[in-house]
Structures are given as structure tokens and as C-alpha cells.
């Protein structure tokens, strides 16, 4: 099972360059754009909170984005369950 590590790293670099200009604060739109990758990293066993600390911080303070994040995980978990049973 191989992971597209290179594309993930490229994404991380892009995100870092975006977030660096905004320091610790991101807006909901940034969080929304990053949350897919954030969840992918979590599911790949990577330390998403370490790689994208701004997303983690935003999820901690923004109920709307946290809900989005949890919904995304629930959807992905459901997909995994489906593929397991087939
Ligand atoms: Zn938000």
C-alpha cells in the first residue's frame, strides 16, 4: 500500500507558505480547503496536528469547522466500512 507522499509534501509546502503569511490564524475558508488533507494525514497515521497546526488550532476554536471535520471523518469511516464488507 503506497502513499502519494510526494504530492502530500508538495501540498504541505504550499500550505506552509500560505499559513506563514497569516501566522497562527487562519479563516474558515483556509480551514475548509485544508481539512481534506488534514483528515488524510490523520488516517495515514501522520501527525496532522504537527504538520498543519493552524488547522488543528482552528478546529479547536471554531465549532462550524470542527463539525465539518467530524462529518468528513464519519463519511470516510463509512466508506471504509463499505469497502471492507464487499
Ligand atoms: Zn472555522
Amino acid at each position: 500500500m503506497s502513499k502519494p507522499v510526494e504530492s502530500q509534501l508538495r501540498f504541505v509546502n504550499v500550505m506552509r507558505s500560505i499559513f506563514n503569511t497569516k501566522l497562527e490564524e487562519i479563516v474558515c475558508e483556509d480551514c475548509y480547503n485544508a481539512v481534506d488533507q488534514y483528515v488524510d494525514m490523520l488516517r495515514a497515521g501522520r501527525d496532522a496536528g504537527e504538520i498543519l497546526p493552524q488547522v488543528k488550532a482552528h478546529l479547536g476554536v471554531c465549532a462550524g469547522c470542527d463539525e465539518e471535520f467530524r462529518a468528513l471523518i464519519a463519511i470516510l469511516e463509512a466508506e471504509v466500512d463499505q469497502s471492507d464488507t464487499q
Side-chain angles (χ1 to χ4, degrees):
M1 200 162 139
S2 65
K3 299 277 174 195
V5 174
E6 264 194 40
S7 68
Q8 273 202 355
L9 289 178
R10 227 178 353 251
F11 172 84
V12 168
N13 284 333
V14 170
M15 279 294 150
R16 280 192 172 148
S17 65
I18 292 169
F19 290 156
N20 279 344
T21 64
K22 296 179 180 176
L23 298 174
E24 291 301 312
E25 288 194 26
I26 62 172
V27 297
C28 291
E29 190 183 350
D30 296 327
C31 185
Y32 184 81
N33 288 334
V35 76
D36 285 10
Q37 284 288 334
Y38 187 84
V39 169
D40 277 353
M41 286 179 199
L42 283 180
R43 290 170 55 79
R46 297 165 70 97
D47 193 344
E50 185 76 25
I51 299 166
L52 296 171
Q54 293 89 344
V55 174
K56 186 181 184 183
H58 186 84
L59 292 174
V61 297
C62 180
C65 289
D66 188 54
E67 199 172 307
E68 186 76 28
F69 167 66
R70 286 166 198 277
L72 191 58
I73 286 181
I75 290 166
L76 290 169
E77 295 291 342
E79 282 176 0
V80 168
D81 286 348
Q82 262 185 359
S83 63
D84 279 352
T85 54
Q86 277 171 1

